[in-house]
């Protein structure tokens, strides 16, 4: 099942620019194929260095995270993480009989039934995002969504972003939980982005809480831990109990990345982390767990199969 929103947009124009036939031997390569081969060799050579200097977004925002932890009544960032994790665990359904028996005991020993309280149907995304990130109610009015079904929420979210310079998707809860599970073990990866007439540009991605940051390898090699995200995907879990997680991707237009290219990066991420099958998953795991065995040629071949 594809992410709603991502699947509805066409990437055929970009897909036509993806390489045909893979990388040939150096004895009979075209100038463009030779350029690709040189890019591959450079990427392979810098891979070990990349793995040892992964941008640490938690360290970058640590002061703000410590402040957020104190606001939540805990002392450390680790305790804040645990608190967020506990809050996201599904709560087992309570039996109706237990609900009837619930109440407080008065001084006379009689049970006093507590007034019925309506549960809050919305889990605020501000509870599990970095403090400098807009919460969902800062992006759009939640009154438009509070009483809607999963399908209605997805449709409204997609239409809301239709004419904006952002990308968006409505992700089924089960799929998002699968994405998080895979990302915990494989938090980083590289993706090849075809540039028409310019060959390939490799992008580095890193999961951070409910966000995914993308930056070019050139930007990373230049600025390392201060590398700027070219694209940030933020996942809003406010309606996760109703079956949907809302994704919004913001593009830094100063970095020569347009919405269409951002759409392709998001689709490639989805393929390698969720929907792309065993071949792509093995590449993802190799990159994170056995980096010395990672082969960029295999990455390029797999990326062609969208």
């Amino acid at each position: 099942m594809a992410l709603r929103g991502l699947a509805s947009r066409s990437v055929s124009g970009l897909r036509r620019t993806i390489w045909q036939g893979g990388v040939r031997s150096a004895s009979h390569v075209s100038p463009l194929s030779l350029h690709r081969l040189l890019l591959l060799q450079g990427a392979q050579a810098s891979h070990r260095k990349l793995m040892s200097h992964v941008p640490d977004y938690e360290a970058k925002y640590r002061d703000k995270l410590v402040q957020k932890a104190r606001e939540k009544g805990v002392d450390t960032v680790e305790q804040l993480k645990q608190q967020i994790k506990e809050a996201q665990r599904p709560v087992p359904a309570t039996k109706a009989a237990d609900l009837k028996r619930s109440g407080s005991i008065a001084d006379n020993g009689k049970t006093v039934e507590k007034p019925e309280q309506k549960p809050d149907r919305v889990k605020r995304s501000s509870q599990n995002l970095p403090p400098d990130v807009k919460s969902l109610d800062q992006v759009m009015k939640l009154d438009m969504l509070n009483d809607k079904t999963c399908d209605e929420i997805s449709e409204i979210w997609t239409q809301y972003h239709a004419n904006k310079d952002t990308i968006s998707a409505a992700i089924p809860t089960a799929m998002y939980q699968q994405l998080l599970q895979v990302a915990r073990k494989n938090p980083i990866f590289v993706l090849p982005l075809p540039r028409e007439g310019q060959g390939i540009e490799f992008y580095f991605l890193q999961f951070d809480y409910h966000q995914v940051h993308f930056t070019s390898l050139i930007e990373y090699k230049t600025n390392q831990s201060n590398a700027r995200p070219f694209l940030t995907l933020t996942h809003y879990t406010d309606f996760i109990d109703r079956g949907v997680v809302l994704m919004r991707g913001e593009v830094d237009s100063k970095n020569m990345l347009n919405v269409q290219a951002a759409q392709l990066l998001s689709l490639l991420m989805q393929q390698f982390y969720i929907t792309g099958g065993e071949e792509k998953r093995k590449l993802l795991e190799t990159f994170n767990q056995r980096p010395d065995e990672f082969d960029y040629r295999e990455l390029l071949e797999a990326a062609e199969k969208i």
Side-chain angles (χ1 to χ4, degrees):
M1 183 176 183
L3 306 189
R4 300 181 188 182
L6 289 182
S8 64
R9 297 172 182 249
S10 172
V11 295
S12 58
L14 279 173
R15 287 177 63 181
R16 286 196 294 270
T17 69
I18 297 179
W19 330 275
Q20 299 177 357
V23 179
R24 304 176 184 175
S25 64
S27 60
H28 56 282
V29 294
S30 66
L32 184 56
S33 294
L34 179 59
H35 177 60
R36 293 173 187 154
L37 182 59
L38 292 173
L39 281 172
L40 285 175
Q41 291 172 341
Q44 196 81 46
S46 62
H47 181 55
R48 188 174 300 175
K49 180 179 179 182
L50 170 67
M51 295 297 291
S52 62
H53 296 87
V54 174
D56 188 347
Y57 289 101
E58 181 175 318
K60 187 174 181 179
Y61 297 108
R62 189 162 189 84
D63 290 343
K64 292 182 178 180
L65 289 171
V66 170
Q67 180 182 351
K68 187 73 172 180
R70 290 171 180 168
E71 291 173 1
K72 295 295 182 181
V74 294
D75 297 324
T76 67
V77 174
E78 288 69 26
Q79 290 174 334
L80 177 63
K81 287 182 184 178
Q82 185 63 30
Q83 187 183 79
I84 292 171
K85 185 177 179 181
E86 293 291 337
Q88 291 173 349
R89 289 182 179 176
V91 178
T94 306
K95 295 180 180 179
D98 292 336
L99 287 173
K100 290 180 181 179
R101 288 195 298 268
S102 64
S104 58
I105 306 300
D107 292 338
N108 58 8
K110 295 182 179 180
T111 300
V112 179
E113 295 290 337
K114 293 181 179 179
E116 182 180 356
Q117 295 180 352
K118 294 183 179 180
D120 184 4
R121 299 183 66 198
V122 178
K123 290 186 176 180
R124 301 299 178 189
S125 54
S126 58
Q127 296 174 358
N128 54 30
L129 288 171
D132 60 330
V133 177
K134 288 182 179 179
S135 57
L136 184 59
D137 58 351
Q138 293 175 313
V139 174
M140 67 182 302
K141 294 181 179 179
L142 290 186
D143 292 344
M144 301 171 60
L145 305 175
N146 281 340
D147 298 322
K148 305 299 182 183
T149 66
C150 174
D151 289 341
E152 289 171 337
I153 291 171
S154 301
E155 180 64 23
I156 293 171
W157 183 253
T158 301
Q159 291 299 322
Y160 178 77
H161 290 91
N163 298 315
K164 299 182 183 295
D165 290 331
T166 60
I167 63 175
S168 66
I171 309 172
T173 293
M175 179 179 285
Y176 185 66
Q177 290 173 337
Q178 180 185 355
L179 175 64
L180 287 183
Q181 184 178 2
V182 175
R184 286 189 187 103
K185 297 180 180 178
N186 307 283
I188 59 176
F189 197 51
V190 287
L191 296 172
L193 180 68
R195 295 290 200 177
E196 189 169 359
Q198 301 177 21
I200 306 161
E201 184 177 12
F202 286 100
Y203 272 75
F204 172 80
L205 71 83
Q206 181 177 17
F207 279 78
D208 177 48
Y209 287 88
H210 291 277
Q211 292 187 295
V212 191
H213 302 281
F214 297 76
T215 192
S216 73
L217 284 185
I218 294 176
E219 167 71 14
Y220 167 71
K221 290 172 70 175
T222 302
N223 296 303
Q224 296 191 9
S225 61
N226 294 319
R228 298 166 298 168
F230 286 20
L231 167 67
T232 298
L233 307 183
T234 301
H235 298 94
Y236 294 101
T237 58
D238 301 61
F239 299 100
I240 194 168
D241 288 344
R242 268 188 266 174
V244 65
V245 173
L246 304 176
M247 185 276 283
R248 173 184 172 95
E250 298 187 72
V251 181
D252 185 348
S253 58
K254 298 177 182 179
N255 291 312
M256 302 298 290
L257 187 71
N258 58 30
V259 172
Q260 191 177 21
Q263 193 76 39
L264 181 57
L265 284 173
S266 299
L267 180 60
L268 284 169
M269 185 272 288
Q270 174 194 342
Q271 284 272 311
F272 280 93
Y273 276 83
I274 314 175
T275 61
E278 186 177 354
E279 178 188 9
K280 290 184 173 68
R281 181 67 63 82
K282 284 184 176 179
L283 281 168
L284 175 66
E285 293 173 351
T286 300
F287 185 89
N288 281 270
Q289 301 165 27
R290 301 180 305 280
D292 290 342
E293 300 175 18
F294 187 77
D295 190 333
Y296 278 78
R297 290 180 178 83
E298 293 180 2
L299 173 67
L300 295 182
E301 292 172 359
E304 291 183 12
K305 304 170 186 176
I306 298 180

